[in-house]
């Protein structure tokens, strides 16, 4: 089954074709992402109306380009998957409108995918995928959640952030230290060259039981440290390193707790912060120490993309699940309400 996936929930236009008849990573026939970073950079953040308009401009050419790359035409498609939420309502409507129109014209089933389910299932697109049950850490710009995955589509929230998401903390901290938008990956790159231990920040909420997170206090600690410093380049690197170590340690501690609570030794990590090298190394280390397993998507599939939507949609379409023909999106959407596959 060839499924076209369309992602437009925020500031990336993503398109992909996933073929369920091919095993493992080979199933991803083609994917392309157009990032709007340059468009929003001058405003220091995503401007929703500009995002919607840019999706309108980029989506159809990107679909043509992706089909070309896969060596397919629309006649080869068996289904369409699109992000139906959560996300920016205008941006979501562009993807849903195009997906629904294509499905109508080609007489194909189409399914609205939950963006975070897309992220969560992305590691399963790779070779040698883990099987449920497992625990998932979802770390993106808008979410930080630990989820018990009993089976595909059946998700129990174990813990989440009470304030900033991990990616948001990276972005805001980067901005405070004068890095251009979007700062998260740039802060991580700076931290690479920083000296560990020169700046030590707290590991929020690890001193008490529970699986929730809080990153806004950490952000303030970093702001104070930066303000009171000499603000030299080496200091910026060292503070970045101290911040990254604090976030990574905190995530790793809570992941272990969640695995213990769920009685599992398989951890799946997804979302933009899952591309962070130090987080990947730290969780690999803990898994090796505990005889467990940790699975990530390749870094390009950690951040927003159409492949994860094509894949998550394909699992549902194969199970006979699809939505009716109305263009409907759900900007706020609780993953626990999804139907099991
Ligand atoms: O999943 P994603 O692409 O979009 C959302 O659904 O939010 O995640 C984007 C987030 C941003 O906050 C970005 O700063 C963060 O992921 N991010 C990183 C890295 N790459 C992306 N954070 C830390 N280290 C990275 N290497
Ligand atoms: Zn995302």
């Amino acid at each position: 089954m060839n499924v076209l996936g369309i992602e437009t929930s925020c500031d990336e236009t993503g398109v992909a074709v996933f073929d369920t008849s091919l095993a493992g990573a080979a199933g991803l026939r083609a994917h392309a992402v157009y990032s709007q970073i340059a468009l929003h950079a001058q405003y220091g953040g995503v401007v929703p109306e500009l995002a919607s308009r840019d999706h309108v401009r980029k989506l159809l050419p990107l679909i043509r380009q992706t089909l070309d790359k896969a060596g397919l035409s629309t006649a080869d498609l068996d289904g369409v998957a699109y992000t139906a939420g959560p996300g920016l309502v205008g941006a979501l409507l562009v993807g849903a409108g195009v997906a629904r129109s294509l499905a109508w014209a080609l007489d194909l089933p189409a399914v609205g995918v939950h963006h975070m389910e897309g992220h969560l299932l992305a590691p399963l697109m790779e070779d040698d995928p883990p099987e449920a049950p497992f625990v998932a850490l979802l770390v993106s710009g808008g979410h930080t959640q630990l989820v018990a995955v009993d089976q595909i589509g059946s998700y129990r929230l174990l813990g989440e952030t009470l304030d900033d998401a991990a990616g948001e903390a990276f972005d805001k901290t980067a901005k405070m230290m004068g890095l251009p938008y979007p700062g998260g990956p740039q802060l991580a790159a700076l931290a690479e060259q920083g000296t560990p231990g020169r700046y030590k920040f707290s590991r929020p909420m690890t001193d008490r039981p529970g699986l929730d997170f809080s990153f806004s206090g950490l952000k303030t600690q970093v702001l104070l440290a930066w303000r009171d410093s000499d603000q030299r380049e080496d200091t910026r690197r060292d503070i970045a390193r101290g911040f990254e170590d604090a976030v990574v340690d905190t995530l790793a501690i809570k992941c272990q707790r969640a695995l213990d609570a769920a009685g599992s030794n398989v951890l799946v990590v997804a979302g933009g912060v899952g591309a962070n090298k130090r987080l990947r190394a730290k969780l690999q280390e803990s898994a090796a120490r505990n005889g467990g397993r940790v699975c990530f998507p390749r870094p390009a599939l950690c951040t927003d993309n159409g492949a994860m939507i094509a894949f998550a949609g394909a699992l549902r379409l194969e199970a006979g699940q699809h939505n009716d023909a109305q263009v409907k999106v759900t900007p706020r959407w609780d993953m626990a309400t999804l139907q099991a596959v």
Side-chain angles (χ1 to χ4, degrees):
M1 183 177 211
N2 281 315
V3 177
L4 178 73
I6 295 175
E7 155 64 33
T8 62
S9 68
C10 191
D11 58 347
E12 251 102 37
T13 317
V15 177
V17 180
F18 193 87
D19 180 351
T20 58
S21 70
L22 301 170
L28 185 56
R29 298 277 300 255
H31 89 110
V33 176
Y34 177 80
S35 170
Q36 302 179 353
I37 283 175
L39 175 68
H40 301 292
Q42 59 177 306
Y43 306 101
V46 178
V47 183
E49 181 58 24
L50 295 184
S52 313
R53 291 181 199 185
D54 208 49
H55 287 307
V56 170
R57 272 191 292 271
K58 295 298 175 352
L59 186 51
L60 289 177
L62 210 58
I63 290 174
R64 284 192 200 100
Q65 180 192 321
T66 307
L67 285 172
D68 279 352
K69 210 155 77 175
L72 300 171
S73 76
T74 52
D76 300 309
L77 295 175
D78 304 296
V80 182
Y82 56 96
T83 306
L88 303 171
V89 64
L92 290 167
L93 281 168
V94 176
V98 168
R100 276 285 148 209
S101 310
L102 262 177
W104 178 264
L106 300 169
D107 197 19
L108 295 175
V111 64
V113 172
H114 191 293
H115 180 81
M116 295 312 293
E117 179 178 54
H119 275 303
L120 191 157
L121 298 178
L124 277 61
M125 247 186 299
E126 303 294 0
D127 292 330
D128 191 20
E131 273 179 36
F134 52 74
V135 170
L137 171 69
L138 300 178
V139 270
S140 69
H143 293 79
T144 298
Q145 296 182 325
L146 280 161
V147 177
V149 179
D150 299 318
Q151 65 179 101
I152 308 284
S154 171
Y155 308 119
R156 270 182 303 124
L157 185 65
L158 298 174
E160 66 182 332
T161 182
L162 305 177
D163 40 57
D164 292 347
E168 190 181 359
F170 262 91
D171 294 336
K172 287 181 175 170
T173 302
K175 196 170 178 177
M176 280 171 355
M177 293 204 292
L179 298 175
Y181 162 88
Q186 302 203 36
L187 188 77
L190 265 188
E192 284 287 298
Q193 303 147 30
T195 310
R198 182 172 162 214
Y199 283 89
K200 183 126 175 106
F201 301 111
S202 62
R203 277 61 178 151
M205 295 182 72
T206 54
D207 59 348
R208 69 202 87 165
L211 294 169
D212 287 333
F213 302 91
S214 165
F215 291 111
S216 78
L218 177 60
K219 189 182 65 194
T220 309
Q221 281 179 38
V222 176
L223 173 64
L224 295 177
W226 174 244
R227 252 195 356 211
D228 296 343
S229 77
D230 55 19
Q231 305 203 349
R232 279 170 27 171
E233 199 47 38
D234 60 325
T235 300
R236 180 150 67 172
R237 289 199 288 263
D238 296 345
I239 292 180
R241 177 64 193 257
F243 167 79
E244 185 181 64
D245 280 343
V247 173
V248 166
D249 273 359
T250 304
L251 292 173
I253 291 168
K254 296 283 165 113
C255 282
Q256 192 51 52
R257 264 189 214 173
L259 288 167
D260 293 343
S264 170
N265 65 355
V266 181
L267 178 69
V268 155
V269 183
V273 184
N276 184 274
K277 283 187 197 154
R278 208 166 302 283
L279 179 67
R280 293 170 87 95
K282 177 102 193 171
L283 293 176
Q284 293 281 15
E285 259 170 52
S286 328
R289 204 173 40 242
N290 300 320
R293 183 172 176 206
V294 58
C295 307
F296 304 90
R298 70 197 82 161
L301 298 186
C302 283
T303 44
D304 289 347
N305 64 82
M308 66 188 197
I309 303 304
F311 179 71
L315 294 182
R316 291 193 176 274
L317 289 168
E318 273 198 318
Q321 296 180 13
H322 55 90
N323 302 112
D324 59 32
Q326 53 176 307
V327 179
K328 183 171 175 282
V329 296
T330 313
R332 294 174 72 88
W333 190 0
D334 180 357
M335 222 172 43
T337 61
L338 296 179
Q339 202 184 341
V341 176

